[in-house]
Amino acid sequence: MTPLQRVIKENNTTLNPIWIMRQAGRYLPEFREIRSKNPDFIKLCLNPNLSTEITLQPLKRFDFDAAIIFSDILMLPYGLKQKVEFKKNFGPILGKLNLNEISKVEEIDFVERVQQIYKAIKNVSNNNILKDKNTIGFIGAPWTLLVYMINQQSPKKQLKKDFFENKDLINNILIIIEKFLKIHIKNQIDSGANLIQIFDSWAGLLENKDLPYYVYNPTFNLVKFTQSLNTPVICFPRNIKDYKRYCDFIKPDAICIDYEVDPLKIEKEISIPIQGGMDPKVLLTDKENIKKEATKYLDIFKDHPYIFNLGHGVLPETNPEMMEYLVKTVKDY
Ligand code: CP3
């Protein structure tokens, strides 16, 4: 078993495996080099040779315990033929959502549009560097995808006033999203992903009364589906107010926490394996502070099954030397 599997399946508390969200990305000069020659982000995600190379870049530098496949949660709307673009210094921009068009997309059309991702997962998982390590596949949670598909861009702090206006559209889109997320999960697993992470980046935007419909029920269905394929799932409902209630409802194999929650409270309330937490901005400071903050999390979770990660993606301005120091600190703990 890999170190991550030992934490997730056997509740091991001595290994402290580490991987980092957005570990393949802009803080690495070797990524920026490839990116500068490939201005179209979607095309880059669909180039299996390059996406394999990018996925493996951080593993060549650092002793991470997993590779997360270089792709994006918005490849789902792309696969459903909604227009998706990434604008520099702005983020994603999606085309108008057309229910009629999306309803016509069949499984074979979707798989054909995204199959290069599965090819990259095959390449990555077969690479020797991943011996005794995990290949992480991922999806966006239905709620977060709904937000992007309707809002057509990041919502920043709040949703548009009329976001919930067309209930009929929302209900239909949620059913389609769930159907294709299952297809996407199954294909990633069949290609070699042996762990799935579900990103619900906008879970924190909802009021409690709306959580069961938009977050708990659809995410529970996907967690159950993934587990039925004998593959563990980590959920990351960023900024959700009540992580315990989320875990009680959804029953993921592990829960990833953001940097705004109190890790002490989480440790007391939640018994399943925990991942993440440290503020990515810590990596912009100095070694002494990195050691102090990383040790804080490792101390709090020393008797708890714990996977080291950050409480959000690594920031592009991070110095790779500081990442190396973080990995060393965690491994030497
Ligand atoms: O973690 C990894 O290394 C794997 C690859 C990965 C990417 N995006 C690559 C990426 C993963 C797991 C994601 C998830 C993702 N994508 C989420 C959930 C996590 C989160 O950040 O909340 C979301 C909401 C998206 C949608 C998305 N993709 C946004 C909002 C942006 C622009 C913001 C930004 O950081 O620039 C992206 C672009 C993106 N996805 C980049 C990378 C490496 C940067 C692209 C670039 O080089 O310009």
Side-chain angles (χ1 to χ4, degrees), residues 21-24 26 31 35 41 68-74 86 91-92 138 148 154 199 201 238 312:
M21 293 185 277
R22 294 275 168 100
Q23 66 188 26
R26 285 167 293 187
F31 170 77
R35 185 74 173 97
F41 182 73
I68 180 159
I69 207 71
F70 179 75
S71 175
D72 199 90
I73 64 166
L74 299 179
F86 288 86
F138 66 87
Y148 280 106
S154 295
F199 289 90
S201 304
R238 182 157 66 89
H312 198 203

PDB file of all heavy atoms in Angstrom, residues 21-24 26 31 35 41 68-74 86 91-92 138 148 154 199 201 238 312, ligand 1:
ATOM      1  N   MET A  21      -1.870  20.953  -3.448  1.00  0.00           N
ATOM      2  CA  MET A  21      -2.805  21.372  -4.495  1.00  0.00           C
ATOM      3  C   MET A  21      -2.123  22.399  -5.409  1.00  0.00           C
ATOM      4  O   MET A  21      -1.433  23.285  -4.920  1.00  0.00           O
ATOM      5  CB  MET A  21      -4.078  21.941  -3.861  1.00  0.00           C
ATOM      6  CG  MET A  21      -4.877  20.847  -3.130  1.00  0.00           C
ATOM      7  SD  MET A  21      -6.449  21.428  -2.490  1.00  0.00           S
ATOM      8  CE  MET A  21      -5.918  22.180  -0.949  1.00  0.00           C
ATOM      9  N   ARG A  22      -2.304  22.258  -6.715  1.00  0.00           N
ATOM     10  CA  ARG A  22      -1.632  23.064  -7.748  1.00  0.00           C
ATOM     11  C   ARG A  22      -0.114  22.875  -7.731  1.00  0.00           C
ATOM     12  O   ARG A  22       0.644  23.797  -8.048  1.00  0.00           O
ATOM     13  CB  ARG A  22      -1.956  24.561  -7.592  1.00  0.00           C
ATOM     14  CG  ARG A  22      -3.400  24.923  -7.850  1.00  0.00           C
ATOM     15  CD  ARG A  22      -3.645  25.129  -9.335  1.00  0.00           C
ATOM     16  NE  ARG A  22      -5.062  25.197  -9.609  1.00  0.00           N
ATOM     17  CZ  ARG A  22      -5.746  26.326  -9.785  1.00  0.00           C
ATOM     18  NH1 ARG A  22      -5.128  27.474  -9.725  1.00  0.00           N
ATOM     19  NH2 ARG A  22      -7.024  26.291 -10.039  1.00  0.00           N
ATOM     20  N   GLN A  23       0.303  21.655  -7.323  1.00  0.00           N
ATOM     21  CA  GLN A  23       1.761  21.405  -7.272  1.00  0.00           C
ATOM     22  C   GLN A  23       2.390  21.467  -8.660  1.00  0.00           C
ATOM     23  O   GLN A  23       3.585  21.742  -8.790  1.00  0.00           O
ATOM     24  CB  GLN A  23       2.054  20.065  -6.598  1.00  0.00           C
ATOM     25  CG  GLN A  23       1.576  18.828  -7.350  1.00  0.00           C
ATOM     26  CD  GLN A  23       1.729  17.547  -6.512  1.00  0.00           C
ATOM     27  OE1 GLN A  23       1.724  17.578  -5.288  1.00  0.00           O
ATOM     28  NE2 GLN A  23       1.875  16.410  -7.186  1.00  0.00           N
ATOM     29  N   ALA A  24       1.590  21.175  -9.696  1.00  0.00           N
ATOM     30  CA  ALA A  24       2.067  21.337 -11.068  1.00  0.00           C
ATOM     31  C   ALA A  24       1.521  22.675 -11.544  1.00  0.00           C
ATOM     32  O   ALA A  24       0.353  22.781 -11.866  1.00  0.00           O
ATOM     33  CB  ALA A  24       1.548  20.202 -11.936  1.00  0.00           C
ATOM     34  N   ARG A  26       2.283  27.308 -11.905  1.00  0.00           N
ATOM     35  CA  ARG A  26       3.065  28.488 -12.271  1.00  0.00           C
ATOM     36  C   ARG A  26       4.246  28.827 -11.381  1.00  0.00           C
ATOM     37  O   ARG A  26       5.090  29.633 -11.752  1.00  0.00           O
ATOM     38  CB  ARG A  26       2.134  29.707 -12.353  1.00  0.00           C
ATOM     39  CG  ARG A  26       1.283  29.694 -13.593  1.00  0.00           C
ATOM     40  CD  ARG A  26       0.175  30.704 -13.493  1.00  0.00           C
ATOM     41  NE  ARG A  26      -0.753  30.305 -12.445  1.00  0.00           N
ATOM     42  CZ  ARG A  26      -1.906  30.921 -12.197  1.00  0.00           C
ATOM     43  NH1 ARG A  26      -2.246  31.979 -12.878  1.00  0.00           N
ATOM     44  NH2 ARG A  26      -2.696  30.479 -11.243  1.00  0.00           N
ATOM     45  N   PHE A  31       7.356  24.784 -15.633  1.00  0.00           N
ATOM     46  CA  PHE A  31       5.970  24.872 -16.098  1.00  0.00           C
ATOM     47  C   PHE A  31       5.771  26.150 -16.919  1.00  0.00           C
ATOM     48  O   PHE A  31       5.204  26.128 -18.012  1.00  0.00           O
ATOM     49  CB  PHE A  31       4.967  24.866 -14.923  1.00  0.00           C
ATOM     50  CG  PHE A  31       3.550  25.192 -15.363  1.00  0.00           C
ATOM     51  CD1 PHE A  31       2.776  24.224 -15.995  1.00  0.00           C
ATOM     52  CD2 PHE A  31       3.023  26.469 -15.199  1.00  0.00           C
ATOM     53  CE1 PHE A  31       1.482  24.524 -16.436  1.00  0.00           C
ATOM     54  CE2 PHE A  31       1.729  26.766 -15.637  1.00  0.00           C
ATOM     55  CZ  PHE A  31       0.966  25.794 -16.255  1.00  0.00           C
ATOM     56  N   ARG A  35       4.261  26.673 -20.572  1.00  0.00           N
ATOM     57  CA  ARG A  35       3.043  27.494 -20.670  1.00  0.00           C
ATOM     58  C   ARG A  35       3.228  28.659 -21.646  1.00  0.00           C
ATOM     59  O   ARG A  35       2.315  28.995 -22.394  1.00  0.00           O
ATOM     60  CB  ARG A  35       2.701  28.004 -19.268  1.00  0.00           C
ATOM     61  CG  ARG A  35       1.416  28.780 -19.138  1.00  0.00           C
ATOM     62  CD  ARG A  35       0.193  27.895 -19.217  1.00  0.00           C
ATOM     63  NE  ARG A  35      -1.009  28.669 -18.920  1.00  0.00           N
ATOM     64  CZ  ARG A  35      -1.795  29.200 -19.834  1.00  0.00           C
ATOM     65  NH1 ARG A  35      -1.523  29.046 -21.109  1.00  0.00           N
ATOM     66  NH2 ARG A  35      -2.861  29.891 -19.488  1.00  0.00           N
ATOM     67  N   PHE A  41      -4.782  27.282 -22.810  1.00  0.00           N
ATOM     68  CA  PHE A  41      -4.727  26.396 -21.640  1.00  0.00           C
ATOM     69  C   PHE A  41      -5.477  25.077 -21.869  1.00  0.00           C
ATOM     70  O   PHE A  41      -5.013  24.009 -21.474  1.00  0.00           O
ATOM     71  CB  PHE A  41      -5.301  27.137 -20.421  1.00  0.00           C
ATOM     72  CG  PHE A  41      -5.259  26.351 -19.143  1.00  0.00           C
ATOM     73  CD1 PHE A  41      -4.060  26.129 -18.471  1.00  0.00           C
ATOM     74  CD2 PHE A  41      -6.417  25.817 -18.600  1.00  0.00           C
ATOM     75  CE1 PHE A  41      -4.019  25.402 -17.286  1.00  0.00           C
ATOM     76  CE2 PHE A  41      -6.389  25.090 -17.406  1.00  0.00           C
ATOM     77  CZ  PHE A  41      -5.186  24.887 -16.762  1.00  0.00           C
ATOM     78  N   ILE A  68      -0.909  14.812  -8.996  1.00  0.00           N
ATOM     79  CA  ILE A  68      -2.285  15.154  -9.366  1.00  0.00           C
ATOM     80  C   ILE A  68      -2.239  15.545 -10.831  1.00  0.00           C
ATOM     81  O   ILE A  68      -1.378  16.311 -11.263  1.00  0.00           O
ATOM     82  CB  ILE A  68      -2.911  16.253  -8.480  1.00  0.00           C
ATOM     83  CG1 ILE A  68      -4.354  16.543  -8.948  1.00  0.00           C
ATOM     84  CG2 ILE A  68      -2.065  17.521  -8.446  1.00  0.00           C
ATOM     85  CD1 ILE A  68      -5.234  17.197  -7.906  1.00  0.00           C
ATOM     86  N   ILE A  69      -3.149  14.968 -11.564  1.00  0.00           N
ATOM     87  CA  ILE A  69      -3.081  15.066 -13.005  1.00  0.00           C
ATOM     88  C   ILE A  69      -3.281  16.516 -13.460  1.00  0.00           C
ATOM     89  O   ILE A  69      -4.121  17.229 -12.921  1.00  0.00           O
ATOM     90  CB  ILE A  69      -4.121  14.099 -13.624  1.00  0.00           C
ATOM     91  CG1 ILE A  69      -3.675  13.674 -14.980  1.00  0.00           C
ATOM     92  CG2 ILE A  69      -5.516  14.578 -13.552  1.00  0.00           C
ATOM     93  CD1 ILE A  69      -2.506  12.738 -14.927  1.00  0.00           C
ATOM     94  N   PHE A  70      -2.465  16.984 -14.392  1.00  0.00           N
ATOM     95  CA  PHE A  70      -2.588  18.360 -14.869  1.00  0.00           C
ATOM     96  C   PHE A  70      -3.782  18.462 -15.817  1.00  0.00           C
ATOM     97  O   PHE A  70      -3.755  17.988 -16.952  1.00  0.00           O
ATOM     98  CB  PHE A  70      -1.314  18.807 -15.588  1.00  0.00           C
ATOM     99  CG  PHE A  70      -1.425  20.204 -16.110  1.00  0.00           C
ATOM    100  CD1 PHE A  70      -1.335  21.286 -15.251  1.00  0.00           C
ATOM    101  CD2 PHE A  70      -1.681  20.442 -17.449  1.00  0.00           C
ATOM    102  CE1 PHE A  70      -1.479  22.580 -15.723  1.00  0.00           C
ATOM    103  CE2 PHE A  70      -1.824  21.732 -17.927  1.00  0.00           C
ATOM    104  CZ  PHE A  70      -1.722  22.798 -17.065  1.00  0.00           C
ATOM    105  N   SER A  71      -4.845  19.056 -15.296  1.00  0.00           N
ATOM    106  CA  SER A  71      -6.082  19.223 -16.057  1.00  0.00           C
ATOM    107  C   SER A  71      -6.840  20.335 -15.357  1.00  0.00           C
ATOM    108  O   SER A  71      -6.234  21.141 -14.647  1.00  0.00           O
ATOM    109  CB  SER A  71      -6.858  17.894 -16.038  1.00  0.00           C
ATOM    110  OG  SER A  71      -8.110  18.038 -16.651  1.00  0.00           O
ATOM    111  N   ASP A  72      -8.140  20.411 -15.502  1.00  0.00           N
ATOM    112  CA  ASP A  72      -8.904  21.442 -14.803  1.00  0.00           C
ATOM    113  C   ASP A  72     -10.333  20.965 -14.578  1.00  0.00           C
ATOM    114  O   ASP A  72     -10.848  20.163 -15.373  1.00  0.00           O
ATOM    115  CB  ASP A  72      -8.918  22.748 -15.618  1.00  0.00           C
ATOM    116  CG  ASP A  72      -9.271  23.922 -14.729  1.00  0.00           C
ATOM    117  OD1 ASP A  72      -8.353  24.535 -14.148  1.00  0.00           O
ATOM    118  OD2 ASP A  72     -10.470  24.209 -14.565  1.00  0.00           O
ATOM    119  N   ILE A  73     -10.953  21.474 -13.518  1.00  0.00           N
ATOM    120  CA  ILE A  73     -12.352  21.077 -13.261  1.00  0.00           C
ATOM    121  C   ILE A  73     -13.265  21.544 -14.400  1.00  0.00           C
ATOM    122  O   ILE A  73     -14.312  20.971 -14.627  1.00  0.00           O
ATOM    123  CB  ILE A  73     -12.887  21.606 -11.905  1.00  0.00           C
ATOM    124  CG1 ILE A  73     -12.934  23.130 -11.863  1.00  0.00           C
ATOM    125  CG2 ILE A  73     -12.047  21.077 -10.739  1.00  0.00           C
ATOM    126  CD1 ILE A  73     -13.766  23.680 -10.703  1.00  0.00           C
ATOM    127  N   LEU A  74     -12.828  22.591 -15.126  1.00  0.00           N
ATOM    128  CA  LEU A  74     -13.691  23.126 -16.194  1.00  0.00           C
ATOM    129  C   LEU A  74     -13.587  22.334 -17.494  1.00  0.00           C
ATOM    130  O   LEU A  74     -14.221  22.690 -18.493  1.00  0.00           O
ATOM    131  CB  LEU A  74     -13.388  24.619 -16.415  1.00  0.00           C
ATOM    132  CG  LEU A  74     -13.655  25.467 -15.170  1.00  0.00           C
ATOM    133  CD1 LEU A  74     -13.306  26.929 -15.438  1.00  0.00           C
ATOM    134  CD2 LEU A  74     -15.104  25.359 -14.701  1.00  0.00           C
ATOM    135  N   PHE A  86      -9.504  30.607 -20.920  1.00  0.00           N
ATOM    136  CA  PHE A  86      -8.806  31.158 -19.755  1.00  0.00           C
ATOM    137  C   PHE A  86      -8.112  32.435 -20.195  1.00  0.00           C
ATOM    138  O   PHE A  86      -7.270  32.410 -21.078  1.00  0.00           O
ATOM    139  CB  PHE A  86      -7.796  30.155 -19.205  1.00  0.00           C
ATOM    140  CG  PHE A  86      -8.456  28.991 -18.512  1.00  0.00           C
ATOM    141  CD1 PHE A  86      -8.868  27.874 -19.223  1.00  0.00           C
ATOM    142  CD2 PHE A  86      -8.701  29.035 -17.148  1.00  0.00           C
ATOM    143  CE1 PHE A  86      -9.499  26.820 -18.589  1.00  0.00           C
ATOM    144  CE2 PHE A  86      -9.327  27.978 -16.499  1.00  0.00           C
ATOM    145  CZ  PHE A  86      -9.734  26.873 -17.232  1.00  0.00           C
ATOM    146  N   GLY A  91      -8.773  34.795 -15.332  1.00  0.00           N
ATOM    147  CA  GLY A  91      -9.355  33.499 -14.973  1.00  0.00           C
ATOM    148  C   GLY A  91     -10.262  32.984 -16.070  1.00  0.00           C
ATOM    149  O   GLY A  91     -10.206  33.455 -17.201  1.00  0.00           O
ATOM    150  N   PRO A  92     -11.086  31.996 -15.718  1.00  0.00           N
ATOM    151  CA  PRO A  92     -11.902  31.375 -16.760  1.00  0.00           C
ATOM    152  C   PRO A  92     -13.071  32.238 -17.224  1.00  0.00           C
ATOM    153  O   PRO A  92     -13.653  32.978 -16.427  1.00  0.00           O
ATOM    154  CB  PRO A  92     -12.433  30.094 -16.086  1.00  0.00           C
ATOM    155  CG  PRO A  92     -12.257  30.282 -14.627  1.00  0.00           C
ATOM    156  CD  PRO A  92     -11.222  31.326 -14.408  1.00  0.00           C
ATOM    157  N   PHE A 138      -9.347  13.963 -10.450  1.00  0.00           N
ATOM    158  CA  PHE A 138     -10.203  14.895  -9.701  1.00  0.00           C
ATOM    159  C   PHE A 138     -11.373  15.365 -10.546  1.00  0.00           C
ATOM    160  O   PHE A 138     -11.381  15.223 -11.777  1.00  0.00           O
ATOM    161  CB  PHE A 138      -9.391  16.089  -9.199  1.00  0.00           C
ATOM    162  CG  PHE A 138      -8.866  16.982 -10.291  1.00  0.00           C
ATOM    163  CD1 PHE A 138      -9.640  18.030 -10.789  1.00  0.00           C
ATOM    164  CD2 PHE A 138      -7.613  16.782 -10.841  1.00  0.00           C
ATOM    165  CE1 PHE A 138      -9.169  18.853 -11.802  1.00  0.00           C
ATOM    166  CE2 PHE A 138      -7.133  17.599 -11.855  1.00  0.00           C
ATOM    167  CZ  PHE A 138      -7.914  18.638 -12.342  1.00  0.00           C
ATOM    168  N   TYR A 148     -19.827  27.968 -12.090  1.00  0.00           N
ATOM    169  CA  TYR A 148     -19.092  28.443 -13.271  1.00  0.00           C
ATOM    170  C   TYR A 148     -19.951  28.412 -14.530  1.00  0.00           C
ATOM    171  O   TYR A 148     -19.888  29.315 -15.366  1.00  0.00           O
ATOM    172  CB  TYR A 148     -17.826  27.603 -13.497  1.00  0.00           C
ATOM    173  CG  TYR A 148     -16.693  28.018 -12.581  1.00  0.00           C
ATOM    174  CD1 TYR A 148     -16.325  27.238 -11.495  1.00  0.00           C
ATOM    175  CD2 TYR A 148     -16.012  29.214 -12.790  1.00  0.00           C
ATOM    176  CE1 TYR A 148     -15.297  27.627 -10.645  1.00  0.00           C
ATOM    177  CE2 TYR A 148     -14.993  29.611 -11.950  1.00  0.00           C
ATOM    178  CZ  TYR A 148     -14.635  28.817 -10.882  1.00  0.00           C
ATOM    179  OH  TYR A 148     -13.631  29.210 -10.040  1.00  0.00           O
ATOM    180  N   SER A 154     -15.581  33.306 -12.508  1.00  0.00           N
ATOM    181  CA  SER A 154     -15.495  33.137 -11.055  1.00  0.00           C
ATOM    182  C   SER A 154     -16.442  34.110 -10.364  1.00  0.00           C
ATOM    183  O   SER A 154     -16.531  35.273 -10.773  1.00  0.00           O
ATOM    184  CB  SER A 154     -14.068  33.389 -10.574  1.00  0.00           C
ATOM    185  OG  SER A 154     -13.218  32.409 -11.107  1.00  0.00           O
ATOM    186  N   PHE A 199     -13.278  18.847  -5.695  1.00  0.00           N
ATOM    187  CA  PHE A 199     -13.083  20.250  -5.330  1.00  0.00           C
ATOM    188  C   PHE A 199     -14.428  20.977  -5.317  1.00  0.00           C
ATOM    189  O   PHE A 199     -15.060  21.108  -6.368  1.00  0.00           O
ATOM    190  CB  PHE A 199     -12.183  20.948  -6.355  1.00  0.00           C
ATOM    191  CG  PHE A 199     -10.735  20.528  -6.295  1.00  0.00           C
ATOM    192  CD1 PHE A 199     -10.263  19.471  -7.052  1.00  0.00           C
ATOM    193  CD2 PHE A 199      -9.830  21.205  -5.485  1.00  0.00           C
ATOM    194  CE1 PHE A 199      -8.922  19.091  -7.016  1.00  0.00           C
ATOM    195  CE2 PHE A 199      -8.486  20.836  -5.438  1.00  0.00           C
ATOM    196  CZ  PHE A 199      -8.031  19.772  -6.199  1.00  0.00           C
ATOM    197  N   SER A 201     -15.014  24.399  -4.527  1.00  0.00           N
ATOM    198  CA  SER A 201     -14.375  25.670  -4.182  1.00  0.00           C
ATOM    199  C   SER A 201     -15.365  26.731  -3.731  1.00  0.00           C
ATOM    200  O   SER A 201     -15.003  27.653  -3.011  1.00  0.00           O
ATOM    201  CB  SER A 201     -13.593  26.192  -5.382  1.00  0.00           C
ATOM    202  OG  SER A 201     -12.670  25.214  -5.784  1.00  0.00           O
ATOM    203  N   ARG A 238     -14.303  23.970   0.180  1.00  0.00           N
ATOM    204  CA  ARG A 238     -13.600  25.157   0.675  1.00  0.00           C
ATOM    205  C   ARG A 238     -14.539  26.167   1.342  1.00  0.00           C
ATOM    206  O   ARG A 238     -15.590  26.497   0.797  1.00  0.00           O
ATOM    207  CB  ARG A 238     -12.858  25.825  -0.492  1.00  0.00           C
ATOM    208  CG  ARG A 238     -12.050  27.028  -0.116  1.00  0.00           C
ATOM    209  CD  ARG A 238     -10.953  27.274  -1.117  1.00  0.00           C
ATOM    210  NE  ARG A 238     -11.452  27.643  -2.426  1.00  0.00           N
ATOM    211  CZ  ARG A 238     -11.697  28.891  -2.801  1.00  0.00           C
ATOM    212  NH1 ARG A 238     -11.454  29.889  -1.983  1.00  0.00           N
ATOM    213  NH2 ARG A 238     -12.144  29.148  -4.010  1.00  0.00           N
ATOM    214  N   HIS A 312      -5.245  25.659   0.382  1.00  0.00           N
ATOM    215  CA  HIS A 312      -5.658  26.120  -0.941  1.00  0.00           C
ATOM    216  C   HIS A 312      -4.481  25.850  -1.863  1.00  0.00           C
ATOM    217  O   HIS A 312      -3.449  25.372  -1.405  1.00  0.00           O
ATOM    218  CB  HIS A 312      -6.011  27.610  -0.906  1.00  0.00           C
ATOM    219  CG  HIS A 312      -6.834  28.046  -2.091  1.00  0.00           C
ATOM    220  ND1 HIS A 312      -6.891  29.340  -2.525  1.00  0.00           N
ATOM    221  CD2 HIS A 312      -7.628  27.348  -2.917  1.00  0.00           C
ATOM    222  CE1 HIS A 312      -7.693  29.413  -3.583  1.00  0.00           C
ATOM    223  NE2 HIS A 312      -8.155  28.217  -3.832  1.00  0.00           N
TER     224      HIS A 312
HETATM  225  O1  CP3 B   1      -3.538  20.843  -8.612  1.00  0.00           O
HETATM  226  C1  CP3 B   1      -2.920  20.598  -9.687  1.00  0.00           C
HETATM  227  O2  CP3 B   1      -1.700  20.796  -9.839  1.00  0.00           O
HETATM  228  C2  CP3 B   1      -3.686  19.907 -10.780  1.00  0.00           C
HETATM  229  C3  CP3 B   1      -4.287  20.714 -11.768  1.00  0.00           C
HETATM  230  C4  CP3 B   1      -5.448  21.636 -11.416  1.00  0.00           C
HETATM  231  C5  CP3 B   1      -5.633  22.870 -12.075  1.00  0.00           C
HETATM  232  N1  CP3 B   1      -6.818  23.390 -11.686  1.00  0.00           N
HETATM  233  C6  CP3 B   1      -4.688  23.451 -13.043  1.00  0.00           C
HETATM  234  C7  CP3 B   1      -4.766  24.890 -13.333  1.00  0.00           C
HETATM  235  C8  CP3 B   1      -6.534  21.466 -10.551  1.00  0.00           C
HETATM  236  C9  CP3 B   1      -6.822  20.341  -9.564  1.00  0.00           C
HETATM  237  C10 CP3 B   1      -7.408  22.574 -10.742  1.00  0.00           C
HETATM  238  C11 CP3 B   1      -8.702  22.710 -10.036  1.00  0.00           C
HETATM  239  C12 CP3 B   1      -9.516  23.910 -10.255  1.00  0.00           C
HETATM  240  N2  CP3 B   1      -9.659  24.632 -11.404  1.00  0.00           N
HETATM  241  C13 CP3 B   1     -10.392  24.471  -9.275  1.00  0.00           C
HETATM  242  C14 CP3 B   1     -10.599  23.929  -7.885  1.00  0.00           C
HETATM  243  C15 CP3 B   1      -9.525  24.381  -6.963  1.00  0.00           C
HETATM  244  C16 CP3 B   1      -9.501  25.882  -6.724  1.00  0.00           C
HETATM  245  O3  CP3 B   1      -8.514  26.500  -7.161  1.00  0.00           O
HETATM  246  O4  CP3 B   1     -10.440  26.404  -6.129  1.00  0.00           O
HETATM  247  C17 CP3 B   1     -11.005  25.576  -9.853  1.00  0.00           C
HETATM  248  C18 CP3 B   1     -12.020  26.490  -9.201  1.00  0.00           C
HETATM  249  C19 CP3 B   1     -10.547  25.673 -11.209  1.00  0.00           C
HETATM  250  C20 CP3 B   1     -10.936  26.655 -12.239  1.00  0.00           C
HETATM  251  C21 CP3 B   1      -9.786  27.494 -12.610  1.00  0.00           C
HETATM  252  N3  CP3 B   1      -8.730  27.058 -13.386  1.00  0.00           N
HETATM  253  C22 CP3 B   1      -9.548  28.837 -12.284  1.00  0.00           C
HETATM  254  C23 CP3 B   1     -10.453  29.702 -11.430  1.00  0.00           C
HETATM  255  C24 CP3 B   1      -8.340  29.205 -12.890  1.00  0.00           C
HETATM  256  C25 CP3 B   1      -7.710  30.564 -12.937  1.00  0.00           C
HETATM  257  C26 CP3 B   1      -7.192  30.971 -11.603  1.00  0.00           C
HETATM  258  C27 CP3 B   1      -5.722  30.881 -11.566  1.00  0.00           C
HETATM  259  O5  CP3 B   1      -5.182  30.290 -10.605  1.00  0.00           O
HETATM  260  O6  CP3 B   1      -5.109  31.450 -12.462  1.00  0.00           O
HETATM  261  C28 CP3 B   1      -7.819  28.062 -13.536  1.00  0.00           C
HETATM  262  C29 CP3 B   1      -6.552  27.968 -14.295  1.00  0.00           C
HETATM  263  C30 CP3 B   1      -5.577  26.910 -13.900  1.00  0.00           C
HETATM  264  N4  CP3 B   1      -5.901  25.602 -13.602  1.00  0.00           N
HETATM  265  C31 CP3 B   1      -4.173  27.040 -13.829  1.00  0.00           C
HETATM  266  C32 CP3 B   1      -3.655  25.785 -13.483  1.00  0.00           C
HETATM  267  C33 CP3 B   1      -2.215  25.400 -13.338  1.00  0.00           C
HETATM  268  C34 CP3 B   1      -3.396  28.299 -14.167  1.00  0.00           C
HETATM  269  C35 CP3 B   1      -3.372  28.388 -15.645  1.00  0.00           C
HETATM  270  C36 CP3 B   1      -2.269  29.250 -16.161  1.00  0.00           C
HETATM  271  O7  CP3 B   1      -1.139  28.752 -16.310  1.00  0.00           O
HETATM  272  O8  CP3 B   1      -2.552  30.393 -16.506  1.00  0.00           O
END
